[in-house]
Amino acid sequence: MFQKNSKTKLFLCILISLFWLTGCADPEVIDEISIMTGIGYDLDENKIKGTALYPSYLPEGTVENVTITATNDIARKVIIEMQRKSPNPLVTGSLEVVIFGKEFATEMGIFRIVDSLQRDPSVGARLYLIVSDGTAAEILNEQLGGEGTGEYLSSLIDHNIRVRDLPETNLHLFAFSYHQEGRDPYLPIMKRIGEKDITISGVAIFKKDKVIYEIPEDKMLYFKLLVDKYSKGSVSARNEEQESTMRVVDSNTNYIIEKKNGVVDKILIQIKIEAIVLEYSGKRLTQKEVEKLEKDFSDYIKRECTELLKTFQELKVDPAGIGREVKSVTYGFDIKKWEESQYPNVEITVEPDVTISETGVVE
């Protein structure tokens, strides 16, 4: 009986303690805070210019996008300055995008910002990082979409990853590639066109935390085939007889690494691609023509991917993660030796194998 009463008293004590702890917590009422959906960083006369974006919900049910800017030498002080200018506390719990102006990402580097985002427990790992072809402020100041600019930009990235030519990317993947030996990170590039139009205009390749190269829009699919295990996108090819467009519905990449006297001599990248024909300008798509298309597309993809890899080797940058693959099969892997002397000179061959699984719609 005594033991039972002791357990009851212990339970009541814990319950009362939890009640008091809950009462001491700092509540955040939704109407009394500004929930940031986007942050931008630009370079302004060698200082950091920050732009915070948050939605303001109007009585008629519409969303007005509000931005606050501040400039300082230190990134954390930029946030403090923006807090001072805001009528309500700025919180990051629903942050959708962080945009870096091209000049900022090229000259200053973005690691300090990425590191602080990773350390913030309220920021999700699937947050999208973006490089702006121009300033971050000009994109965040746009009134886009019915649910707010931050939500619109996040949906734009997500759509292009799932069904278009943009390889998968987010805060977690960028940070992982940044810290990983044998792979360099990359981010999508956004560009403002016209009055209220934003587009994905390419992919920014980073060396450490600075942009070193930009892949144009028309080369994005080939880059995606090299870096993503599962790719979707479209590609067109033309010869003297006809023009055709196919859509990639699945792809898989395999590396074969050949060594000579313990040193990597050749690397073969096999890319298996399943595709469907979207457009064909010839008269009739027979089985013979299908086989010819498969070869034409394979040759075209091989040429484009090879050109990209040669550029990466010249720049000593490795977004495809070839060094990571070599490390996985090399005992005592020396990353400095690989990056400086081996990677730029190793022979890399791309071997695409295109299989067209559907042609019925064209026929």
Side-chain angles (χ1 to χ4, degrees), residues 258-266 337 342:
E258 296 182 16
K259 293 183 180 181
K260 191 174 184 180
N261 298 324
V263 178
V264 176
D265 183 49
K266 297 178 182 178
K337 186 177 180 181
Q342 295 178 334

Side-chain angles (χ1 to χ4, degrees), residues 29 140 145 199 213 219 269 290 352:
V29 181
L140 292 175
T199 187
Y213 182 69
K219 307 291 184 184
I269 304 176
V290 169

Side-chain angles (χ1 to χ4, degrees), residues 255-258 264-269 322 326 338 343 346-350:
Y255 285 80
I256 297 176
I257 299 169
E258 296 182 16
V264 176
D265 183 49
K266 297 178 182 178
I267 297 173
L268 174 63
I269 304 176
I322 294 172
V326 172
W338 164 256
Y343 173 62
V346 70
E347 181 183 333
I348 305 174
T349 303
V350 181

Side-chain angles (χ1 to χ4, degrees), residues 18-72:
L18 288 173
F19 173 78
W20 281 110
L21 285 171
T22 304
C24 294
D26 185 18
E28 290 185 334
V29 181
I30 192 72
D31 293 334
E32 297 177 0
I33 59 175
S34 297
I35 304 173
M36 290 190 291
T37 57
I39 303 177
Y41 293 94
D42 291 304
L43 198 58
D44 185 15
E45 296 181 354
N46 295 321
K47 290 188 175 183
I48 302 171
K49 178 184 177 182
T51 303
L53 167 73
Y54 64 88
S56 176
Y57 299 95
L58 304 179
E60 59 268 25
T62 59
V63 177
E64 180 184 35
N65 297 294
V66 182
T67 57
I68 297 175
T69 62
T71 304
N72 204 293

Side-chain angles (χ1 to χ4, degrees), residues 102-114:
K102 185 187 290 187
E103 189 180 11
F104 182 93
T106 303
E107 296 185 18
M108 184 165 284
I110 69 173
F111 176 72
R112 286 180 297 173
I113 309 298
V114 172

